[in-house]
Amino acid sequence: MMMAEGKKSGFRGINIPSDELLNNCIHCGLCLPTCPTYSLTGLEKSSPRGRIRIIKGVAEGTLSISREFVYEMNFCLDCQACETSCPAGIKYGSLVEAARAQIYQEKYEGRLAHYSKKILLGWLFESHGRLKRAARILRLIQTSYIQSLIGIGKEFRVFPRKISNSNSLAPKISKSYSSDTLHESITPNIHSRYKVILLTGCVMDVAFADINEDTVQLLLHHGCEVIVPREQQCCGSLQAHNGDIASARRLAQHNTELFSRYDFDYIVMNSAGCGAYMKEYGEIFRDDTRFAEKANSISKRVRDLTEFLNDTGFHPALNRNENPFFGKKVTYHDACHLVHAQHISEQPRKLIKSIAGIEYIELRESTWCCGSAGIYNITHYNDSMQILRRKIDNIKQAGPDIVITGNPGCLIQILHGLNQEKMHIELLHTATFLRRACGV
Amino acid sequence: MIASSTLSKLKSIVGQDNFFDSPEYKLVYSYDGTPLLSQLPVAIVRPQLKEQISSIVQLANNERFAIVPRGSGSGLSGGSIPTEDSIVLLTNHWNKILEVDQRNLAAWVEPGVITAQLQAEVESLGLFYPPDPGSAAISTLGGNVAENAGGLRGLKYGVTKNYILGMEVVLPNGDVVLLGGKSVKDVAGYNLKDFLIGSEGTLGIYTKILLKLIPKPEDSSTMLVFFDRLTDAAESVSDIIASRITPAVLEFLDNTTIRCVEDYAHLKLPTAIEALLLIEVDGHPLVIKEDVDKIAVLCKKHHALEIKIAHDTEEAAKLRSARKVAFSALARVRPTTILEDVTVPRSEIVSMLDKIQFIAKKHSLQFGNFGHAGDGNLHPTCLTDERDISEIHQAEKAFDEIFTEAVLLGGAITGEHGVGLAKRQFLEKLTPSPAIEMMRQIKKVLDPNAVLNPGKIFSLKPHCEGPMPKNPEQIKKYLDAGAFT
Ligand SMILES: Cc1cc2nc3c(=O)[nH]c(=O)nc-3n(C[C@H](O)[C@H](O)[C@H](O)COP(=O)(O)OP(=O)(O)OC[C@H]3O[C@@H](n4cnc5c(N)ncnc54)[C@H](O)[C@@H]3O)c2cc1C
Ligand code: SF4
Ligand code: SF4
C-alpha cells in the first residue's frame, strides 16, 4: 500500500483494496457519462472517478472515513456501468465493496443502519429457512385485508420511515416456494445432454417461484437433467454488496461445499446478481489454499440461463400459430449485473430474436440502471425513483407491447414504474417469455 | 492562503448549497485527465448565474485569489487542475442547449453541454457539428472551446475554432461581454472572439457559446487498410491528399498499438504489420464511391497488404473499433498512461515516428503511437507506472526530446490538448521569445491581478512559483532518481 508520509491507512482487517486495484484508474473521466449517480448530481464525488479517488485517499491515509465518505459509498448503485466504459479495465465493484466492508466492519454507519443490515442480510437472508418463514408472514399480511385497514404490510418494514411510500417495491410473495415444490432431481423426456444445478435464489424462490418453474421447463425442453439441491442458501451477493463480507463468505462456502457433492456440468440461474457473484467464488477464496480450487471449480461452471441456452445452441422449436407473442413489439432491458458484471448482452437478444413473428426493438439506454440495485430502492427511495423515471421514459419512447429483463430486482422496480404511470405493458422475465413462446 | 472572511463572502455569493470545502470535495477536484499532476483547491463553487460569476471574479481581484474554471475535467494538459490559493469554479452543470436555429445553422448552448449530446441533438435534425474529440462523450463544449479541441475529423472539417460564431464571456475584471454573433461576416474591430478560443480559462469564463452547424453529410464509407511498412502507409496518405481527396477521417495505428488492440479486443488484426490506416470518406454517395475506389488503387500501389471496405453501418462500426479502442487497449497495459500530443507537417510523420522509436529505446520506455495521420497530429503514448519514480523521470526526459524534435521538424508541442500546466516549460523553451512575450503582455493587460487560471500556459514571472520544499527529505527520492538535472 502506498501511504502518504506518516499517514496510517483508514482501512484495516479483511478486504483491504489492493494497490493494484487502486492505481489502475488513469482519471480520464470516460466513465462519468455512464454513471447514474453522477448524472443525478453532476458532482465529481458521486462519479466513479471521484469515488475511486476518495477510496484511495482513505487507503493512503490522507482522508478518514467520514460521514460524507459513507454517504458516497452507499449512494453508489454498484451497477458497474463504470467498469464497462473504463478504458483501463478498472475493477470498480471490488473497490466499492471493499470500502463498504470497512464501513460495515467498523460500524461507521450509525447503529440503526448497521443493525438493520445485520438483521436483514446477515440473519434473515443467511438462512433460507428463516427467509421462507418470514416471507410466509409477509404474504399473510400482503393478502389479508388488515393491510387495507392499516395501510401497511406490502413492504418489508425494516426501515419504516424511509420506505413508507415504497409500497409496491417489496416483492409480492408467491403462494408456494420453488424450493419446496420442485423435485430435487428432474429428468427430461428427451435424451439428456447436460446435468445442471438450478440455483433457486432467495428472492426468486419466495417471490418468483413461477419464474423458477419456467426456467426448469426450459431446461428440460433443452435436454437438461435439472438438480435442485434442497439445502442451498442465498448466494451471498446481497450481503457482499452491502459490506457484510463475513456472512457472504459463510454462504459462499456453504454453497460451494454443497454443490461440490453433486455430479453436474453447469450451475444455472435466472438472477443476474447471483450469477455475477457466484462467478467470483474462486476469487473470494483465492488466498484460502485449501478451499480455492473447490470454489474455482464452482465458479467456472456458473452460467446465467440465457448464457447457457444460447451458448449450448438452444432452438426455440415452436409452432408459429401457437406463439402467443406473434406480431408483438418486444424490447429488452439489460440488468446491470448481466451486462456490466458478466458482459452478457448478446445472448438474451439472440434468444429473443430467435422467436419468429415478433418485432424486436432496441430500448434506448437499455444498459442504464433501473434504480433497483439490490435494496437500493428501499435505502435510497428518492434517488432510485429518479433513476427509474429515466428508464420508464425510455420505455415510453420505445412503445413496446412487452419488456423483457433477466433479473428479479429489475422486474419489481420496473413494474413499480409502469404501475405508477398506469402503463399497460407486459413485463416478463426472459425465462417466462421463452417458455411461453415455445409453448413448453 | 485565502482568508476565511473571503471564503464567507464567496459562500454568500453562491449560497451555502453551492459552496464546498470538505476534504472529500477538495480531493476530487484536485485532478483532471492529466497524468501525474494534482493539487488541492481551497474550495469549490458552483455558481448559478453569470452575475454570480462576475461577482466572484471581482472578489478575486479585490482579495487576491485565483479562479480555475472547470468543465468535466477530461483535459490532458492540466488546464483545470488547481494552482496555489485557488478555488475551482464549476461550469458542468450549465448544461442546456438554449436554441438550435435551423435557418441560420447555429446553436446557442451553455458551456456545460456535453459534446456528444449536442452532436446527437443536432444530428437528429439533419445538422452536423463536426469537432469530435476522443473524449466527446464527457468533454464539455466550454472545455472544448477553451482548449480549441480537435478530433478525428480535423483534416476535412477543421477543429473547434472553425465552429464558434460567438460567445458570452465574463472577463478577468468581472465585465460580461457578448462577442461575435450569428452573422457569418464580422470585421468590426479586433477579432476578440477568436482570441478567446483556446485561451484555456486564462482570459475569460464562457457563460454561453454560439456554435456554427453545417448540413449533415448524406452518406459515408469506412475502410481499414493494412501495411507491412510504415513508409508505405505514410506515402499512401500523401498520395491520397495529393490526388485531391479529403477524407473525413484518416487515422493511423503503429505496430505496438495494433498488438495491444488485438490483445484487448480480438478484432483479427494482423499483428506483424507496421501500420494500419482507418479511412472514412463522406458526402454524396456517388462521389464517395469514386473516392473509395481511388483510395483503394493508391493504397495498392503502395503495397497495401489488405483493404477492408465496410458494406453497411454495422461493418463500418466494426472497422472503426480498431481505432476507437486504441486508447483503451494501451491504457490497460500499465497503470499509468501518458497520452501525448505533437504535430508535424504531414510529410514528416515517418521521420517523427522514427525519432520517437529511437528516443523510446534510448530511455527503455514502452510507447504506442497512433493519431490523425491526415493532419500530422500524433499521440505518442507512454505506458508506465507513476509509482516508479525513475521510470517517470525517464519518460519526462523522453517527452522533452520528442517535443524538441517535433519543433525542429516544423511542428508544434501540442496539436489539440493545450499547454496548461503540463507543457508550459516546453512552450517557453520552444517558442520564439517575442511570441511568448506578446502572450504574457496580453495576459498582464487583461488580467493584471492574475485571477483567472494563473500559472497555466506560461508561468507568471518570477519563473519559480512558490517556495521550494524546505525539507530535503521530501525531494530526496526525486534527486536520487536524477531529477532537477
Ligand atoms: C480519453 C481522452 C481522449 C481525448 N481526446 C481528445 C481529442 O481527440 N482531441 C482533443 O482536442 N482533446 C482530447 N482530449 C482532451 C480533453 O477532453 C479536451 O481538452 C476537452 O476539451 C476538455 O473538456 P472538459 O470539459 O473536460 O474541460 P476541463 O478539462 O474541465 O477544462 C479544460 C480547460 O478549459 C477551461 N474551461 C472549462 N470550462 C470553461 C468555461 N466555461 N470557460 C472558460 N474556460 C473553461 C479549464 O479552465 C481548462 O483550462 C481527450 C481526453 C481524454 C481523457
Ligand atoms: S457502480 Fe454505477 S453508480 Fe456506482 S460509480 Fe459505477 S456507474 Fe456510478
Ligand atoms: S474510466 Fe476508468 S480510468 Fe477513466 S476515470 Fe473512470 S475508472 Fe478511472
Side-chain angles (χ1 to χ4, degrees), chain B residues 248-259:
Chain B
V249 172
L250 185 39
E251 295 285 308
F252 104 101
L253 265 60
D254 78 348
N255 175 270
T256 308
T257 312
I258 294 168
R259 278 185 292 127

Side-chain angles (χ1 to χ4, degrees), chain A residues 210 213-214 217-218 430-440:
Chain A
D210 47 340
E213 177 63 30
D214 296 334
Q217 290 307 325
L218 272 175
T430 323
T432 311
F433 173 78
L434 290 176
R435 179 189 178 186
R436 289 197 205 156
C438 298
V440 293

Side-chain angles (χ1 to χ4, degrees), chain A residues 26-30 49 87, chain B residues 31-34 53 67-81 89-92 94 110-115 132-136 138-152 159-160 168-170 196 199-209 251 323 327-328 339 341 370 372 377 379 414-418 420 452-453 456-457:
Chain A
I26 54 171
H27 41 95
C28 64
L30 291 182
R49 179 172 67 171
Chain B
Y31 53 76
D32 64 3
T34 316
I53 297 184
I67 300 169
V68 181
R70 183 181 162 108
S72 289
S74 72
L76 290 173
S77 54
S80 55
I81 295 178
L89 184 144
L90 302 180
T91 57
N92 66 316
W94 292 40
E110 290 185 340
V113 171
I114 301 296
T115 317
D132 62 337
S135 52
I138 185 59
S139 67
T140 64
L141 288 162
N144 290 168
V145 178
E147 298 289 0
N148 188 12
L152 264 54
V159 295
T160 303
E168 180 189 79
V169 48
V170 179
L196 271 138
S199 62
E200 304 192 16
T202 64
L203 297 178
I205 300 170
Y206 320 124
T207 47
K208 271 200 299 191
I209 300 163
E251 295 285 308
R323 165 65 178 87
F327 176 64
S328 301
L339 171 66
D341 165 43
F370 62 97
H372 319 304
N377 189 182
H379 292 308
T414 166
E416 51 185 22
H417 296 168
L452 281 190
N453 223 357
K456 307 291 168 72
I457 305 182

